Every structure is written in C-alpha cells, then in structure tokens.
Amino acid sequence: QVQLVESGGGLVQAGGSLRLSCAASGRTFSNLAMAGLAMAWFRQAPGKDRSFVAAINWVDGATYYADSVEGRFTISRDNARNTVYLQMSSLKPEDTAVYYCATDPLIGDRESDYTYWGQGTQVTVSS
C-alpha cells in the first residue's frame, strides 16, 4: 500500500502564495519509485469535478501543468524525503478547492490514471 498525506493548505488573499506538500510512504511506494512513477496534484472546487493541476515524473523530474495554472504553480519533488510540493503563486479566487495528491506508475492528467490518493487539503483564496 501507498500512503499519501497532504499538508499546507489554508486561507490566503488573492495574489498571495501557498506551498502544499505531499508525503508518500509505504513499501509499495518504494517499488513504484524505482519503476519510475508519477506524482500529481488534482483539485476539486465545490460543485465541480476533480481536475488535473500538475504532475511530475519521480525519476527524471519532467513536469506537466494544466493550462489554468501554467506559469503560476510549480510542482517539484524531494526524493530523499519522498515528498512532492506544489508551490502556488499569484493565487486567484478560482483556485479555491480541495487539493489532492495522487500517484501511479504511469503519468497522466485524468483522475482515472491514478491509483493512490491522499485525503486532500483545503485551499481558500479570498478576493
């Protein structure tokens, strides 16, 4: 099993910044990391479906972003800490959502592409 725990959410004013963290653990995670896996962030706003935000290849660090966050958000990883980060800048009220961390051996931008999920962390951007 893989356990993912998000942290770092909170309330911020428009134009501000937040950094989310996702700590991964579990015996299966070590095997997945060796095989080359994807770590991703999704978000779900009230009344909307969960949507892709960003993803990173654990091995080579290649990154992928949704158009709505390109240039404002940065995904990164710390291999030693088994942790993925999402640095969010120039936040807008429409970024308000519950942010979820996910992982799977193959990278993708669909919710169905990912097997393991965290519990989510709330991000609220006030205008």
Side-chain angles (χ1 to χ4, degrees):
Q1 289 296 325
V2 173
Q3 294 82 41
L4 301 175
V5 179
E6 303 98 332
S7 61
L11 174 64
V12 64
Q13 289 189 332
S17 300
L18 276 177
R19 189 178 79 158
L20 305 183
S21 300
C22 173
S25 62
R27 185 175 303 174
T28 302
F29 179 80
S30 297
N31 295 333
L32 294 175
M34 292 175 62
L37 56 74
M39 298 288 291
W41 288 95
F42 284 74
R43 65 186 181 186
Q44 186 168 22
K48 295 187 177 181
D49 294 333
R50 198 174 300 188
S51 62
F52 173 76
V53 175
I56 187 166
N57 182 293
W58 191 259
V59 176
D60 64 15
T63 58
Y64 308 86
Y65 296 95
D67 290 342
S68 59
V69 306
E70 182 83 54
R72 299 189 298 122
F73 291 10
T74 302
I75 189 171
S76 62
R77 89 260 193 240
D78 184 333
N79 294 40
R81 297 176 183 269
N82 285 348
T83 300
V84 172
Y85 303 99
L86 185 68
Q87 178 67 48
M88 305 184 295
S89 303
S90 301
L91 283 162
K92 306 173 182 180
E94 51 264 44
D95 294 318
T96 295
V98 177
Y99 283 72
Y100 297 90
C101 176
T103 188
D104 198 84
L106 298 178
I107 205 163
D109 61 3
R110 299 172 300 177
E111 188 177 355
S112 59
D113 290 331
Y114 293 85
T115 303
Y116 302 101
W117 292 82
Q119 82 290 348
T121 185
Q122 176 70 48
V123 172
T124 302
V125 184
S126 63
S127 57

